[in-house]
Amino acid sequence: MLAVNGYYNGKNIVLDEQIEMAAGQKLIVIIETPPQTPKREKIDLDKYVTTTERGKHVEEYMEEMRGNDRI
C-alpha cells in the first residue's frame, strides 16, 4: 500500500510523486474537502427584552442607588 499527495487539475488527477502504475491496477481514491463551518442564523436578542419604565431611565435610577450608599 502506498499513499501520495496530488490534486485535480480539472481533467486529471496529478500526483506529486512519479509512481509506476500498471493498467488495471486497483486504487483507493480519497477526496478531501476543506472543512466547512455551519452557518448559524443570527439570534434576535431584542425579542427577549421587556422594556420597563425604570429601564428607560436607568441613568437616574443608578444615580439614586449609588447616591445613597454612603453614611
Side-chain angles (χ1 to χ4, degrees):
M1 183 175 232
L2 176 67
V4 295
N5 286 329
Y7 62 92
Y8 179 66
N9 69 1
K11 288 187 173 185
N12 300 311
I13 295 174
V14 180
L15 301 178
D16 290 343
E17 301 174 22
Q18 192 66 23
I19 299 173
E20 289 186 31
M21 293 177 28
Q25 182 176 350
K26 289 188 177 184
L27 302 173
I28 297 174
V29 178
I30 299 172
I31 299 172
E32 293 185 25
T33 58
Q36 298 176 355
T37 56
K39 293 187 178 184
R40 296 182 180 181
E41 66 179 65
K42 193 171 182 178
I43 299 174
D44 181 18
L45 297 176
D46 291 335
K47 70 179 183 180
Y48 300 105
V49 175
T50 304
T51 305
T52 62
E53 195 63 34
R54 184 171 65 183
K56 291 178 183 177
H57 305 287
V58 69
E59 293 298 326
E60 294 88 11
Y61 173 73
M62 292 307 296
E63 182 62 34
E64 181 183 331
M65 292 295 291
R66 292 179 181 155
N68 296 329
D69 67 347
R70 306 283 187 256
I71 297 179

